[in-house]
Amino acid sequence: MNNEKILEQINQLRKKTSERKITWKFVNPILVRWVREDSGKNFTVTLQTMQMATIVRPGQPTTSVNKNYVLTIQSTNPSEVLLQVNTALYPLLKEPLEQLFNEAMAVSKDTSAEVIDKLLKNL
């Protein structure tokens, strides 16, 4: 995987997210999803955070909690995983994916509020 290219793409995702051009949906507190249709194919992009505990000193009860991020892009027709980036394997991408995750969560909360407003509008 070309880290420079994927870093550039993550930065573009973050930029488009902050411009509100990507409509992330809140799935749960650790996962957001974006679905896009292009040329008859659906693409699902998920971004999630995972906490991993690591032992700081063997034999002692001291642990450290480390957050990692996983970005996955899947397609339908055919159904397949096209890309998966896990910051446990690519630590240089952790900060950009953390920033994207935080921005996507903020957008997803705005999107959820808009949906509720639409549902309540004509009652």
Side-chain angles (χ1 to χ4, degrees):
M1 179 171 69
N2 182 340
N3 284 348
E4 286 184 29
K5 180 67 174 173
I6 194 70
L7 179 59
E8 178 185 318
Q9 292 168 330
I10 290 168
N11 287 332
Q12 282 297 311
L13 284 170
R14 193 178 56 158
K15 180 177 184 258
K16 298 297 182 186
T17 296
S18 65
E19 293 171 352
R20 303 300 197 249
K21 293 183 178 179
I22 298 177
T23 54
W24 293 94
K25 304 292 185 206
F26 177 89
V27 177
N28 59 48
I30 63 165
L31 179 77
V32 288
R33 179 178 295 137
W34 169 45
V35 178
R36 176 149 188 228
E37 189 270 328
D38 184 51
S39 303
K41 279 187 162 183
N42 282 327
F43 296 91
T44 302
V45 181
T46 56
L47 180 55
Q48 69 183 54
T49 182
M50 300 180 343
Q51 291 187 353
M52 299 175 63
T54 56
I55 297 173
V56 176
R57 293 184 185 159
Q60 296 182 4
T62 308
T63 60
S64 173
V65 176
N66 186 23
K67 274 189 177 180
N68 283 305
Y69 297 87
V70 179
L71 175 70
T72 305
I73 301 175
Q74 297 172 283
S75 72
T76 56
N77 306 332
S79 181
E80 61 184 330
V81 174
L82 302 173
L83 173 75
Q84 188 165 68
V85 178
N86 184 334
T87 60
L89 301 173
Y90 300 99
L92 293 175
L93 300 175
K94 183 176 180 176
E95 185 178 331
L97 281 177
E98 180 178 29
Q99 292 170 353
L100 176 59
F101 180 82
N102 292 336
E103 188 69 33
M105 268 296 177
V107 167
S108 74
K109 290 176 183 175
D110 291 346
T111 303
S112 296
E114 290 169 9
V115 169
I116 293 169
D117 286 341
K118 286 180 185 178
L119 291 171
L120 294 172
K121 187 174 183 178
N122 293 322
L123 293 178

